[in-house]
Amino acid sequence: MGDLSVNNSIFSSRDGSDPPSVPPCMSVDKVLPALLECFGIILCGYVAGRTNIIPATQAKGLGSFVSKFALPALLFKNMVLLDFGDVIWPFFFSILVAKVTVFFFVCVLTLLVADRESRFSKAGLFSIFATQSNDFALGFPIVEALYRNTHPEYLQYIYLVAPVSLMVLNPLGFALCEVQKRRTGEPQQQRKLRVLGSVLLQVVKNPIVFMVVIGVISHFLLGQKIPPFMEEFLDGLANSFGGAALFYLGLTMVGQLKKLTRSTVVALILLITAKLLVMPLICRGMVEVLDRGSRSSMNHTSLSNYAFLYGVFPTAPSVAIYASHYNMELEVVTSGMVIGTFLSAPIMYVSAWLLTIPWMDSDPLASALQHVSFNISIISLLALVWSVAVMLLSRKFHRIPHIFTINLFVAQLLACVGMIAWIFMAEQDNFLGQVLTFTLLYGSLYSTFIWPGESFEFVCSITSDSTPLNTTWSTQHQQCASTSCLLVEDEQKETDRQNTDIQSTRHVLVCLLLTVSLLANLSSCLWWLFNKDPGRLYLELQFFCVVANFGQGLISFAFFGLDKHLIISPFKKRLVSLWQGWGQEVTGSAASEEIRLTCTQFLTYHKEQCVRDIVHKKRCGERSTTETFLGSDLVRWLQSVGLSSGPGDALAYGSRLLEGGVIQHITLQLAHARLEHFSYLTHTRGDWKSCSSL
């Protein structure tokens, strides 16, 4: 493979000439601090939402402030101050053409391959997903860190390019979604004029679009200057956007990956590929084509690099709002937004660093490639040792398809060992040692591309038969009054089905990601074979192949290294016990009082209505029945009647009812009553005495 060919010839043309020496046009050393700042704030928002410090209802309020006040003020201010004389219009039109190209490519491809029942809604939302970037909350801080000292005028392109999606492309996507609603037979969507009117109304009502138009008009009326009486007011709103938007982005990520299912994985992979790989390449290619008349070759190169970096910006969270509004493809859009955002961080950092490399000499490039290979192999080796240990301790390695997975882990581990050994062996004059190391390295590396095929084929055959992947023949613990409780059996079947879906999704996703790595290596070989002068993009592809080949262990660790039963659940229980032990003396009586008050309130005012709404008589044995309901039904009911403001509050409320004895699991075991999942619970017929014993 070309990824290990550290010969200097890969960094020059076939005739041996080196690329021109031009100083870098970006401050790459400031990228990492900017990324840490942005993603640190995002992480804070995620933790706040995950721990329910800020519930979902309050997060919506923050989102409304960001999108309807802070961002419009920021746009208005910068559109007034924008200097159109410094704008390089070929660059602007290059990004416009690139976005339109990707939009129609995704749209046409989706219309061709999607099912007829939902192809228009998928085409509209997927096209918006692939073209609407998170320009302001995440993109602007990165561009500012890179170009503030070298090309400060590049910052204004963010304000010019972003409205392209909002005013040109998004309405086309909305129109397709409205056509889908019309085809479903909704009476209010029968006229074509209503479809057009609905789309135009959404565009006009968007405060971002409105303020961009007002800002452009004010730019000419006010003479490119904000009046003093408005300046402080606009600055206050505009300056509050950055941190609030990133924090809100973290809040919106909570619980989104739970919506990922096996059926959405392929669409998700293709969409992320289109957004993070295809878009930057087309953006850069369009600048290379349309900006050939630039004032200097250095500025032309800088603009093409900037276009590539702009294309890597992840999808904006507002796309998830569109999907929720139309109630279409929410699982794919929300999961893709989360995964794409976190994947964009290393891609942006590596891209910004690599874009300075073509101006280096060939010797430092060869050394840099070796260092990257060595460093990523060490990190991946540690992750794989952990993953193999988890697989052995959890005793999954003897089950199918985990028997294929453990072989994949071993092959990845040996590939990392071979790479580390090759770095040392290449400097020694030991022909036999080099041959053995080379054999170990490439034998292991090629086998990492074979084992996923075996695993993928088996997973597909298993899931097509709807057979649980992890079925162990786990005896039932404790039954209800019946000797064979049908409800417990139903719950066990549902749990097995969920585990099957999760496990198969993990295996399919790993296989698809490793397939991308395989295609990258194949592209690297073909590129070098058929191109006399490989060029700069070939260098970037080389580094991508190195990271993809020897970073496979990080993918394996992400999907299989944190076993729920072996790692996450014991850690969570230990953390909860430590927390409860620390605060038991202080909050013990207060917690008991809260449970008592909750139970009293529910029994006095809400129990009868709750029984009428969600409690049903179900057969639990051949001749026995019981009045039961699902825990998920209770969570939804608590929200519908206003006792809880969101799923987190409803789960906490239901847990207090469970601890107070107002409700109980069908097997009378507290550990089984997972209110957020598929669980049967019964309501107690007794009065307040059933929970006053606390």
Side-chain angles (χ1 to χ4, degrees), residues 15 48 54 60 89 132 138 148 180 223 254 259 349 358 370 390 469 481 585 609 624 681 694:
D15 58 6
I54 299 181
K60 291 180 180 178
W89 292 106
Q132 184 170 345
L138 193 57
R148 184 190 326 171
Q180 186 67 59
V254 177
K259 301 174 182 178
Y349 177 73
Q370 286 185 334
V390 168
L469 293 179
E585 296 181 359
Q609 184 63 40
S624 57
L681 299 114
L694 291 174

Side-chain angles (χ1 to χ4, degrees), residues 250-298:
L251 286 172
T252 58
M253 292 182 175
V254 177
Q256 300 298 346
L257 289 181
K258 292 182 179 179
K259 301 174 182 178
L260 185 63
T261 61
R262 182 175 66 253
S263 60
T264 62
V265 167
V266 176
L268 185 62
I269 293 293
L270 294 176
L271 281 177
I272 293 177
T273 302
K275 183 66 191 75
L276 298 183
L277 294 179
V278 177
M279 174 66 86
L281 291 175
I282 294 182
C283 286
R284 188 174 185 180
M286 287 295 103
V287 173
E288 294 284 350
V289 172
L290 299 180
D291 190 44
R292 289 195 175 276
S294 182
R295 284 165 281 194
S296 69
S297 60
M298 180 172 137

Side-chain angles (χ1 to χ4, degrees), residues 603 607 611 629 660-664 682-687 690-691:
L603 289 172
K607 178 181 176 181
V611 170
F629 57 93
V662 176
I663 58 177
Q664 63 188 21
T682 59
H683 68 286
T684 57
R685 294 181 176 274
D687 55 13
S690 61
C691 59

